[in-house]
Amino acid sequence: MPEGPEIRRAADKVEAVIKDVPLEKVEFGLAQLKPYAKQLESEKVLRMDTRGKALITHFSNGLSMYSHNQLYGIWHTCKRNELTDTTRQLRGGLHTETHSAILYSASDISIWPTQTIHEHPFLQRVGPDVLNNSVTEEQVLERLCSKAFRNRALSGLYLDQRFMAGLGNYLRSEILFAAGVHPSLKPSQLDDEQLRSLAHHTLAICKRSYETGGYTV
């Protein structure tokens, strides 16, 4: 199951072939998105942001595409003339003169004005992304000690995207093991040293997983 590091690596892969290059063709597989295809042709992808498993693609005309891979969604990149033969359902295709980035099988996709994309219901309810470089250990510590999360068992808390976006089962297991805390405990039951260790490993292990492609040890 892909978690935050895998989604960020997918965004990096897409950016590597289409970022800042004019789009010659844009296509959508969902009827409600098809009207946007012409609006996006000749535009450029400026950047791709991630929040957990959500990926936000920002275009040069002031529009942004929200997509969530859910269980089966996947981004595929290739040279423009080497499209893969697949039975997966095409949801979106971004094609430059030389390369293509194609989103298959995802079902939660929408187009927003960039200035209001933060109002998307998913983005409003999830916490900070574990791979956002501006997130500090102190901020993780504050969230662990906050009224909303301090009395939650760590086993459930570390799967709750409202706490930190991008965490999942394998990251939860590795983080709690490295911090030396039992999953049945709550943040309110930990001492200061344990809390700081947990905050440190929350960010460190997620970053390591991103850098190594999923290896956390």
Side-chain angles (χ1 to χ4, degrees):
M1 181 68 68
E3 298 175 16
E6 289 74 32
I7 300 303
R8 183 62 253 176
R9 288 174 68 89
D12 292 347
K13 181 176 69 173
V14 174
E15 281 189 339
V17 298
I18 67 170
K19 182 181 177 181
D20 295 328
V21 182
L23 298 172
E24 284 198 346
K25 179 181 179 182
V26 177
E27 53 186 334
F28 291 110
L30 300 174
Q32 67 269 26
L33 299 181
K34 290 182 183 293
Y36 291 103
K38 288 298 181 183
Q39 295 183 46
L40 295 174
E41 288 179 2
S42 299
E43 301 295 336
K44 298 177 181 179
V45 171
L46 300 180
R47 70 181 189 280
M48 304 181 83
D49 296 331
T50 57
R51 285 280 295 280
K53 294 184 182 180
L55 197 153
I56 304 97
T57 306
H58 299 290
F59 298 96
S60 55
N61 65 345
L63 292 178
S64 294
M65 180 175 71
Y66 169 93
S67 61
H68 195 295
N69 281 19
Q70 297 178 310
L71 289 177
Y72 304 110
I74 187 171
W75 280 93
H76 175 73
T77 59
C78 61
K79 290 185 177 180
R80 178 75 181 271
N81 60 351
E82 296 179 2
L83 296 179
T84 302
D85 185 18
T86 178
T87 58
R88 284 181 173 270
Q89 293 181 318
L90 183 143
R91 298 304 191 190
L94 306 176
H95 308 276
T96 70
E97 181 181 2
T98 59
H99 288 83
S100 296
I102 305 171
L103 176 60
Y104 291 111
S105 303
S107 57
D108 189 1
I109 309 169
S110 55
I111 303 292
W112 293 66
T114 300
Q115 62 184 7
T116 61
I117 185 66
H118 64 278
E119 297 177 3
H120 188 286
F122 177 85
L123 300 179
Q124 285 191 318
R125 69 175 181 263
V126 298
D129 190 276
V130 290
L131 291 175
N132 187 323
N133 290 328
S134 68
V135 176
T136 66
E137 292 180 17
E138 285 298 323
Q139 289 173 311
V140 179
L141 182 61
E142 288 177 6
R143 295 184 73 77
L144 285 167
C145 297
S146 69
K147 184 178 179 180
F149 304 122
R150 66 187 308 270
N151 288 313
R152 295 276 305 278
L154 294 169
S155 59
L157 178 59
Y158 268 70
L159 294 181
D160 188 342
Q161 300 301 290
R162 291 173 296 180
F163 170 58
M164 296 291 295
L167 294 174
N169 192 47
Y170 86 83
L171 290 172
R172 171 189 64 172
S173 300
E174 296 291 347
I175 291 166
L176 297 182
F177 178 81
V181 294
H182 196 278
S184 67
L185 294 177
K186 305 172 183 179
S188 60
Q189 296 173 308
L190 304 180
D191 60 30
D192 186 66
E193 183 179 352
Q194 290 173 310
L195 285 168
R196 290 193 174 277
S197 177
L198 187 55
H200 167 74
H201 286 102
T202 297
L203 299 183
I205 287 181
C206 291
K207 182 179 180 180
R208 185 189 308 163
S209 178
Y210 163 71
E211 292 173 345
T212 62
Y215 291 95
T216 57
V217 296

